[in-house]
Amino acid sequence: MTRRGRSGAPRRVRRILAVMSTNPAAGLSPATVVVSAGRPERTQGGHINPSLPLNSTYVSRGVITSGELSYARGDNDAWHPFERALVALECGSGADGDAGAGEGIVFGSGMAAIAAVFSLVPDGGTMVLPRHAYQAGMVLADQIRDRHGVTLRHVDIADTDAVVAALDGADLLLVESPTNPMLEVADLPAVLGAARARGMRSVVDNTFATPLGQRPLEHGADVVLHSVTKYLAGHSDVVLGALVTRDAELAATLREHRTLHGAIAGPFEVWLALRGLRTLALRFERAQANAAELARRLADHPEVAEVRHPSLPGDPGHGRAKAQMNGFGAIIGVRPVGRAGLDPVERADAVVDAVRLWLPATSLGGVESMLERRRRWGTEAVTVPEDLLRLSVGIEDVEDLWLDLDQALRA
């Protein structure tokens, strides 16, 4: 039986309401936080949405103090509402109001955020990386290896023993989970805990899962990375990146990198990203449901040789994803059955050419459903099958998506 106070409200509700008076995100569901976080202060006649300040510089006299706006490359009030909202999502906030402490840093692109993270590795240092991860990030890692003498240790991120063994003497662990595009799922508590025990920094790319699917900081990550371009903004109309950390000193280092390298975001793009964030819960719920249903049907399709999605009971990542994620994401990997007279690449390309509703495009996380053959990119890992199609499932009617995909596979 729930114990109630004199007001009749359950004590937990009263406690949360008390904390919300000073911390509006405290104790709320993430589906509510995406709508409520990053709002202006409530004043009579005030705005309910953040304004869009367009400034390259600010009135400033005397010695510059920390936190003071002076020049928009160093700090920009156009960034703050989105950064606060992302911190509320990734760091969470309990009824005590303290668990939400953290700092968000928005960047001009996901690659700019990746570059900032890689800058933490000293010359001659060592990075542990997934063998399958965002291919542009891996190209940058190769360049850092060649120019700065950094050792790269590529691992199967789903093989916990192999990851832990690779950590000794390393400076940075980068995790993608699920991975792009192979959808391998890492044991986040185990690998992040091992990194922390060794005193090394860990970064988790949370683009595929979003903060609604998992919160890596709670598993011990030092930094969470996002391509905001994808699910957070959600409408395929901005290019942005972001980092979130609870370490104030580390945040200052990453923010300095952003300033000195000019990796800054435009005010309008950040404003659009915050507007897109408001519907993340609805979009992601629908996209995940669509993906699970399509994956189930694809697993039984006569023209499909292999399908990867963590929702499938037989998928290698199913048990781990079920244990540590809220949902299974909206990305599917598909390999079509071969056809006589067509090599695997031609067969996969023929499917892409045959769709009418699905969009042949390289991005993901938008409201529209997209697909592409990943190895058309020459920089994609050679261990990714040449005929693998990556499907980013959107929010359209699932039956329409299925009819188009089915006819393309059979065409």
Side-chain angles (χ1 to χ4, degrees):
M1 178 180 295
T2 300
R3 299 186 66 183
R4 298 176 180 270
R6 293 181 180 179
S7 66
R11 289 186 176 180
R12 176 179 175 275
V13 173
R14 295 176 63 198
R15 187 166 60 250
I16 290 173
L17 291 175
V19 174
M20 284 176 62
S21 65
T22 56
N23 181 5
L28 299 179
S29 162
T32 302
V33 173
V34 296
V35 178
S36 61
R39 297 279 185 185
E41 183 179 353
R42 297 184 180 189
T43 58
Q44 188 70 15
H47 297 170
I48 65 168
N49 292 312
S51 298
L52 176 58
L54 299 174
N55 300 288
S56 63
T57 191
Y58 302 86
V59 175
S60 178
R61 300 180 180 90
V63 177
I64 303 298
T65 60
S66 177
E68 176 185 326
L69 292 171
S70 58
Y71 187 63
R73 177 165 49 82
D75 196 8
N76 192 322
D77 50 343
W79 303 333
H80 299 167
F82 176 81
E83 290 173 336
R84 289 197 301 269
L86 188 54
V87 166
L89 285 168
E90 281 292 1
C91 295
S93 52
D96 59 2
D98 296 329
E103 297 192 44
I105 310 162
V106 67
F107 287 81
S109 67
M111 278 303 300
I114 292 173
V117 164
F118 286 173
S119 74
L120 299 173
V121 181
D123 289 359
T126 299
M127 283 196 287
V128 179
L129 308 166
R131 60 174 180 165
H132 300 133
Y134 178 51
Q135 49 91 20
M138 297 304 98
V139 171
L140 178 60
D142 288 344
Q143 291 185 357
I144 293 172
R145 174 198 62 199
D146 296 340
R147 295 175 181 174
H148 300 279
V150 170
T151 298
L152 304 182
R153 298 174 184 168
H154 293 281
V155 294
D156 177 355
I157 208 69
D159 185 340
T160 303
D161 291 340
V163 175
V164 173
L167 297 180
D168 289 340
D171 299 282
L172 181 76
L173 167 65
L174 175 67
V175 178
E176 275 193 17
S177 184
T179 60
N180 182 6
M182 296 300 291
L183 300 175
E184 296 135 332
V185 179
D187 185 338
L188 291 182
V191 299
L192 297 175
R196 186 167 291 273
R198 287 161 174 77
M200 60 181 293
R201 288 190 172 120
S202 59
V203 180
V204 176
D205 187 331
N206 206 25
T207 299
F208 272 25
T210 84
L212 303 186
Q214 64 189 12
R215 293 203 290 230
L217 294 175
E218 295 179 351
H219 296 300
D222 293 302
V223 181
V224 173
L225 165 70
H226 282 282
S227 173
V228 177
T229 307
K230 311 305 194 294
Y231 289 105
L232 299 185
H235 292 78
S236 303
D237 54 8
V238 300
V239 174
L240 292 171
L243 301 174
V244 180
T245 180
R246 284 194 172 116
D247 186 327
E249 183 177 347
L250 181 56
T253 298
L254 295 167
R255 195 172 284 112
E256 181 182 49
H257 176 96
R258 177 182 67 181
T259 299
L260 296 181
H261 288 76
I264 62 172
F268 185 56
E269 286 82 355
V270 181
W271 186 88
L272 282 176
L274 182 59
R275 186 174 72 164
L277 189 70
R278 300 303 185 203
T279 59
L280 173 62
L282 293 173
R283 289 186 285 104
F284 201 54
E285 180 182 16
R286 175 64 173 262
Q288 287 195 115
N290 281 352
E293 178 61 20
L294 292 176
R296 184 186 66 79
R297 297 185 189 187
L298 286 166
D300 295 327
H301 199 287
E303 296 294 338
V304 172
E306 182 182 0
V307 58
R308 289 296 305 270
H309 189 256
S311 69
L312 298 172
D315 188 89
H318 175 74
R320 193 172 283 170
K322 186 175 181 180
Q324 69 187 27
M325 293 177 66
N326 180 23
F328 299 102
I331 304 295
I332 303 175
V334 175
R335 300 180 68 188
V337 166
R339 287 282 187 90
L342 290 178
D343 68 24
V345 171
E346 291 174 326
R347 171 72 170 117
D349 286 343
V351 174
V352 175
D353 291 341
V355 294
R356 295 295 176 263
L357 174 60
W358 291 74
L359 288 169
T362 193
S363 194
L364 58 96
V367 293
E368 59 283 304
S369 294
M370 295 175 272
L371 81 169
E372 70 168 338
R373 184 176 65 83
R374 282 303 298 169
R375 283 288 297 280
R376 72 191 183 99
W377 294 91
T379 51
E380 187 60 270
V382 296
T383 48
V384 173
E386 289 191 345
D387 59 347
L388 178 75
L389 299 175
R390 186 186 70 187
L391 279 59
S392 171
V393 182
I395 66 171
E396 303 94 336
D397 185 277
V398 70
E399 297 300 335
D400 292 334
L401 291 174
W402 174 249
L403 287 173
D404 189 37
L405 198 55
D406 176 58
Q407 67 82 24
L409 286 163
R410 297 177 186 275

